[in-house]
């Protein structure tokens, strides 16, 4: 599944990225998203996030072609 991950490090730094996950449920994908943030930005960022959003993106055959 494809997800769009957006999170704010502070009032001025907002990060938006896409991630793939084997998890189709948002709970499992959220756990992977927090792991990704921790790996790329550190554990302190995960603990101090200002905002967090995870959006599941549905890809149809029309979008692929």
């Amino acid at each position: 599944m494809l997800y769009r991950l957006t999170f704010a490090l502070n009032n001025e730094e907002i990060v938006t990225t896409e991630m793939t996950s084997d998890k189709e449920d948002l709970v499992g994908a959220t756990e992977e998203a927090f792991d990704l943030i921790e790996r790329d930005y550190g554990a302190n960022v995960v603990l101090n996030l200002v905002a967090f959003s995870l959006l599941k993106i549905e890809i149809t055959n029309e979008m692929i072609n």
Side-chain angles (χ1 to χ4, degrees):
M1 299 305 305
L2 182 63
Y3 294 90
R4 178 164 295 130
L5 170 63
T6 303
F7 56 96
L9 302 174
N10 55 46
N11 291 343
E12 297 176 0
E13 294 179 82
I14 298 172
V15 177
T16 299
T17 187
E18 290 181 349
M19 61 172 264
T20 57
S21 172
D22 295 341
K23 314 288 184 182
E24 292 192 24
D25 64 296
L26 282 175
V27 173
T30 299
E31 290 174 359
E32 288 188 11
F34 278 109
D35 289 343
L36 182 137
I37 295 168
E38 182 177 2
R39 183 182 66 239
D40 291 351
Y41 294 91
N44 283 338
V45 170
V46 174
L47 295 173
N48 297 306
L49 284 178
V50 175
F52 174 87
S53 171
L54 187 63
L55 175 66
K56 186 176 185 180
I57 301 173
E58 298 288 336
I59 298 178
T60 64
N61 288 337
E62 293 175 5
M63 296 173 90
I64 295 171
N65 294 328

